[in-house]
Amino acid sequence: MNNFITSASTLAFAMEILFNIIGMIFILRLYNWVYGKANISNKKLYLVAALVIVVVTCFARAILAPFRPAAWPPVTVLFSFPFLICYPKNRQKKILYSIILLTVSWAWLFAYDLITSPLEFKNVWVVTSAFHCGFWGLLELIRKIDKGEKYNIPYSLWFLLTAISMASMITLGITWYYVTQRDNPYLLTIELPMMLVFLFINISLFAFFDRFSTLMHTEQEKIMLEQQLQLQNKHYEELEAVRDQIRTNQHNMKNYLQTASQLAAGQDCNEELIEFLRTASGEINKVEQVVSTGNPCLDSILNIKISEFLRENIKVDTKIQIPPNLKLSFEQAVSILGNLMDNAMDACQNLKYEERWVRIRISYTKHTLFIRLENSAKEIKSWKNGLPVSTKKETDFHGLGLKNVRKIVEEVGTMNIESTPNSFLVCIALFDL
Amino acid sequence: MIRVAICDDNLNIANSIENVVMDMDIKGLSCDVFSSGVELIKHLQSDQISYNIYLMDIELPLQNGISTASIIRKNDKNALIIFITDYKDYVYEVFEVLPFRFLQKPVSSDELSHVMMDSIEHIRRAGQIFFFQIGHEKYQLHYHAIIYFEGAARKVIIHTARGTYEIYGKIADIIVRLDKSLFCQTHASYIVNMDYIHSIKKTDVILQDDIPIPISKKHQNEIKGAYLSFIERRCGK
């Protein structure tokens, strides 16, 4: 092996291997952050990656001339790509980030080479170390820029970002070719600022993607919240119409039965028939409202939901004392109480019959409407932004309930959510009603 | 000393309520029973006394519980009026007399003692005393008399319904002396008595009589949280 004639070259090689391993670990650390946890253990992942990069470096050493460095960040980046399969699925982000990462590492290499090669007096050790440290610094910078969002952006936008990165990579390639072909490659001309600009643009692409991703997500969520609100309003309006119809029918039925019993009495019919008709009309009276608060919006929602609770064997305890002229709109009532009661229902359904209960308190004091809804529930362990993370599989509208409640409440009041080992409590104060 | 007036035309109910209240074993608690609002008002006017807690049936002969309560409220801003209601009767003017709580008939002793405990706690809190000195004169104010504190240069102005007091000091030194379940700091130079809050907007707390008190960003979440717990305590569980 003519590569290791001197001890200095052996030492340099050892250092290159070390730098490459560290570089690889920095890359995987970045992946861990931007794509989420790998589905194999970190230890295993780092070990395999280190092995791969050692082999690659040895191979590079064997085919390259001794004075050429064997540790190249773009190569490390390239060989980190196969490990992407260990990370959660997110093709859009992986492709874009891989391309940008490759461009960034290459631009860094190029820029650094253009700066340091013309220097006449230099220490190879210092130059190499600084080069690698700079690369790690860039990786850390990218990690800081990225917020770890995992939402897709529209494909047109994604295509644009990818195209920018691809274009800079191609330009890099052409410039590289042009520079190496001329008589004196290191002229410190236009290429250097150009490389730095490319570096800057490509690092900014990470930030762009991140911002767009967050923006798209909030936008989507907003639309979904709106949709849910509309659906909910419609749902309650329809239910209320049905209940109204039932009430009218009941009322008519009662009148018919009463008339029938009067007629029967007048016609000297048998006592049994008369008695039967009386009981029947009495029965109808029993089907009444469960609660009556004097506020039509609240009444309809509470009655619809409380009858559902009772059907599910949930013990319901209500205490409601409110003035009738509350400035609470149907939309507010629906989105706050409807959602809270839906959540309570979901939580109770996961429990045994004898453990199911809901306690509803609505009071009014000092121009403030206070809603307190407590229900039996298992303790909630995962939270995000102060709201429980939905445990339901279907993600369409689930988990939006409390978000909608918060959206409505924050405009005119404040709320607090608490979870204990066997209950869930939401307190809401709506001011100036 | 806590004085309780029970007003119910049904003497059986009135007596059973009295028994529950007296059985609660609270020091210095006394109880008087009245069978009508007219009788209660007459007693208040002739003897020049007042009660801390009124347990009032809404349905009373001659003069109902609400109009009786509104006469009481006119003379006594701090009285705690607790209405005893039938499930079916909803008399909505009831909120105008600022009732403390409602008890539903038939009144369970559990619930009654619960509401009584909350009332006594409320009275204890609001009745705490803030001591201060102006020159060589020593002063004292009940917490419920203080609307808000305002810091101005090296002075603090205490705003009450009956005027203001200026003392030397800093808001930061005052807030640590106060009961945090009743007072909340909204701004580097403001502390408000939450009992006087009308509503909370983004940048201001609006007190009764539309007095705006600025909220600083730093205290925004704190004030909302504190007021929510205050309201929760006020409304009961």
Side-chain angles (χ1 to χ4, degrees):
Chain A
M1 290 285 273
N2 58 350
N3 277 327
F4 305 117
I5 313 162
T6 62
S7 61
S9 61
T10 316
L11 206 60
F13 177 62
M15 193 171 75
E16 282 183 323
I17 286 186
L18 185 69
F19 281 155
N20 257 352
I21 291 174
I22 297 174
M24 190 61 144
I25 288 170
F26 267 101
I27 292 170
L28 293 178
R29 201 166 108 91
L30 175 69
Y31 288 174
N32 267 340
W33 173 251
V34 297
Y35 305 125
K37 278 242 164 303
N39 45 28
I40 63 169
S41 80
N42 267 349
K43 227 185 226 167
K44 253 188 232 164
L45 187 70
Y46 288 166
L47 204 69
V48 175
L51 263 172
V52 167
I53 204 64
V54 169
V55 172
V56 169
T57 323
C58 292
F59 184 72
R61 183 75 293 154
I63 58 163
L64 288 173
F67 58 88
R68 286 257 184 211
W72 291 37
V75 176
T76 318
V77 170
L78 210 57
F79 279 93
S80 74
F81 291 160
F83 296 100
L84 283 176
I85 52 162
C86 301
Y87 289 91
K89 235 182 173 177
N90 190 349
R91 194 180 295 158
Q92 199 187 49
K93 197 172 177 180
K94 281 181 185 174
I95 294 179
L96 178 65
Y97 272 38
S98 301
I99 294 172
I100 310 177
L101 210 55
L102 205 57
T103 317
V104 166
S105 57
W106 194 7
W108 169 243
L109 170 69
F110 203 177
Y112 195 80
D113 185 39
L114 286 175
I115 299 168
T116 54
S117 295
L119 299 177
E120 286 191 18
F121 307 101
K122 61 189 173 193
N123 182 326
V124 184
W125 300 89
V126 174
V127 169
T128 318
S129 310
F131 171 59
H132 283 278
C133 287
F135 178 59
W136 305 334
L138 284 177
L139 291 174
E140 277 302 285
L141 177 69
I142 296 165
R143 209 171 71 90
K144 283 273 153 352
I145 290 172
D146 194 281
K147 302 277 182 308
E149 294 288 2
K150 289 161 196 78
Y151 309 107
N152 278 355
I153 62 170
Y155 270 95
S156 52
L157 208 59
W158 174 82
F159 189 75
L160 182 73
L161 295 184
T162 319
I164 293 174
S165 189
M166 286 293 263
S168 28
M169 204 190 309
I170 292 167
T171 322
L172 265 178
I174 294 170
T175 322
W176 181 278
Y177 177 77
Y178 167 74
V179 167
T180 46
Q181 289 302 303
R182 67 184 179 200
D183 292 340
N184 186 355
Y186 303 109
L187 280 174
L188 282 185
T189 45
I190 186 75
E191 308 85 60
L192 184 58
M194 211 165 94
M195 286 310 112
L196 293 176
V197 168
F198 276 131
L199 204 58
F200 176 75
I201 289 176
N202 278 279
I203 289 174
S204 316
L205 289 181
F206 287 112
F208 279 134
F209 181 83
D210 200 67
R211 289 295 131 78
F212 279 127
S213 177
T214 320
L215 202 70
M216 284 313 294
H217 179 65
T218 26
E219 198 60 28
Q220 271 169 10
E221 202 175 72
K222 219 168 107 190
I223 293 169
M224 276 177 46
L225 286 175
E226 288 291 323
Q227 274 176 355
Q228 196 227 18
L229 271 184
Q230 278 169 12
L231 281 176
Q232 228 171 14
N233 278 338
K234 215 174 135 212
H235 171 72
Y236 282 99
E237 269 162 22
E238 280 168 10
L239 274 181
E240 189 47 27
V242 171
R243 286 166 55 81
D244 209 46
Q245 188 61 46
I246 292 172
R247 275 197 292 269
T248 319
N249 288 349
Q250 273 175 359
H251 183 76
N252 292 340
M253 199 58 79
K254 201 171 122 190
N255 284 345
Y256 297 151
L257 286 170
Q258 272 168 356
T259 320
S261 70
Q262 272 161 17
L263 286 175
Q267 303 244 319
D268 283 337
C269 279
N270 64 11
E271 287 294 314
E272 265 176 78
L273 176 62
I274 296 168
E275 193 47 42
F276 169 74
L277 289 170
R278 284 224 177 96
T279 350
S281 68
E283 278 297 310
I284 287 175
N285 262 344
K286 282 188 190 165
V287 193
E288 272 239 30
Q289 302 230 97
V290 197
V291 289
S292 159
T293 65
N295 185 303
C297 313
L298 284 180
D299 272 359
S300 72
I301 297 153
L302 286 170
N303 281 308
I304 289 165
K305 281 290 148 191
I306 290 175
S307 2
E308 275 180 44
F309 283 158
L310 297 174
R311 245 176 279 144
E312 288 287 324
N313 263 14
I314 300 170
K315 262 184 246 140
V316 185
D317 174 19
T318 58
K319 208 195 268 173
I320 300 164
Q321 295 286 358
I322 47 164
N325 48 354
L326 271 184
K327 286 181 276 173
L328 189 74
S329 70
F330 186 65
E331 282 74 22
Q332 285 172 321
V334 162
S335 43
I336 294 173
L337 280 168
N339 278 316
L340 290 184
M341 288 169 92
D342 282 345
N343 279 351
M345 171 77 96
D346 288 342
C348 282
Q349 277 170 338
N350 289 325
L351 299 169
K352 289 183 214 134
Y353 279 144
E354 60 272 19
E355 288 172 352
R356 301 177 174 184
W357 54 265
V358 175
R359 204 175 290 148
I360 305 165
R361 300 280 179 267
I362 306 179
S363 4
Y364 182 78
T365 183
K366 299 166 173 295
H367 311 277
T368 298
L369 183 72
F370 179 67
I371 300 170
R372 186 181 194 279
L373 198 136
E374 194 178 10
N375 58 272
S376 54
K378 290 184 184 133
E379 188 166 10
I380 287 158
K381 293 274 161 60
S382 49
W383 299 76
K384 194 183 175 193
N385 295 334
L387 294 179
V389 176
S390 173
T391 47
K392 288 208 170 178
K393 288 285 174 289
E394 327 99 79
T395 44
D396 261 10
F397 278 147
H398 292 300
L400 282 184
L402 275 174
K403 266 186 198 162
N404 250 336
V405 174
R406 185 155 77 175
K407 194 177 144 210
I408 302 282
V409 169
E410 299 279 280
E411 284 166 25
V412 286
T414 181
M415 71 187 282
N416 185 40
I417 302 170
E418 268 171 53
S419 171
T420 69
N422 39 33
S423 73
F424 184 72
L425 169 68
V426 181
C427 287
I428 292 174
L430 302 175
F431 307 131
D432 216 3
L433 286 184
Chain B
M1 184 73 185
I2 289 171
R3 298 165 57 84
V4 182
I6 299 165
C7 194
D8 198 315
D9 56 330
N10 184 330
L11 277 179
N12 285 334
I13 297 181
N15 286 335
S16 67
I17 291 176
E18 186 185 10
N19 287 340
V20 173
V21 173
M22 292 315 284
D23 280 351
M24 280 176 65
D25 192 29
I26 292 157
K27 269 185 204 151
L29 187 126
S30 69
C31 229
D32 289 330
V33 176
F34 303 90
S35 62
S36 75
V38 181
E39 191 192 331
L40 171 62
I41 296 296
K42 208 180 271 171
H43 182 71
L44 289 177
Q45 283 166 349
S46 65
D47 291 4
Q48 288 293 314
I49 55 158
S50 66
Y51 292 89
N52 304 99
I53 302 171
Y54 295 84
L55 287 156
M56 302 265 290
D57 190 357
I58 284 191
E59 288 291 320
L60 288 173
L62 296 173
Q63 184 176 33
N64 72 20
I66 297 165
S67 52
T68 310
S70 67
I71 296 171
I72 296 169
R73 180 58 80 216
K74 240 177 243 162
N75 300 317
D76 187 354
K77 293 256 182 302
N78 298 315
L80 299 188
I81 298 167
I82 297 159
F83 282 116
I84 300 164
T85 64
D86 238 337
Y87 199 66
K88 289 286 164 199
D89 57 53
Y90 289 102
V91 190
Y92 298 112
E93 308 86 72
V94 80
F95 285 95
E96 283 165 22
V97 302
L98 305 173
F100 182 68
R101 292 284 173 83
F102 293 88
L103 282 168
Q104 259 158 25
K105 278 186 190 169
V107 178
S108 78
S109 59
D110 263 4
E111 210 160 335
L112 176 58
S113 42
H114 202 91
V115 168
M116 282 302 294
M117 288 310 287
D118 283 1
S119 316
I120 290 163
E121 184 56 26
H122 182 89
I123 292 167
R124 190 196 62 76
R125 281 215 172 90
Q128 295 174 84
I129 292 168
F130 182 75
F131 296 94
F132 58 95
Q133 206 170 345
I134 300 174
H136 291 294
E137 304 248 6
K138 289 195 166 116
Y139 290 79
Q140 61 183 57
L141 279 173
H142 282 290
Y143 277 3
H144 62 70
I146 301 169
I147 304 174
Y148 67 99
F149 293 90
E150 182 185 5
R154 258 168 291 156
K155 283 186 173 178
V156 171
I157 306 164
I158 308 169
H159 293 258
T160 73
R162 292 184 181 171
T164 57
Y165 301 86
E166 265 189 40
I167 57 171
Y168 282 101
K170 275 188 282 183
I171 283 290
D173 298 331
I174 287 182
I175 185 74
V176 292
R177 286 167 58 192
L178 297 169
D179 184 345
K180 289 276 179 44
S181 59
L182 201 59
F183 289 94
C184 184
Q185 184 166 5
T186 66
H187 186 275
S189 41
Y190 287 96
I191 299 169
V192 298
N193 182 342
M194 289 191 276
D195 215 8
Y196 288 93
I197 291 181
H198 178 119
S199 69
I200 302 177
K201 307 267 183 244
K202 270 218 169 68
T203 55
D204 292 290
V205 173
I206 311 296
L207 300 182
Q208 278 171 25
D209 302 325
D210 285 335
I211 305 169
I213 303 290
I215 303 177
S216 65
K217 250 213 167 104
K218 189 182 156 199
H219 294 97
Q220 210 168 33
N221 290 329
E222 187 188 325
I223 170 82
K224 281 191 166 182
Y227 191 56
L228 188 60
S229 341
F230 173 81
I231 290 286
E232 186 183 5
R233 261 198 312 278
R234 183 67 207 257
C235 293
K237 286 185 180 178

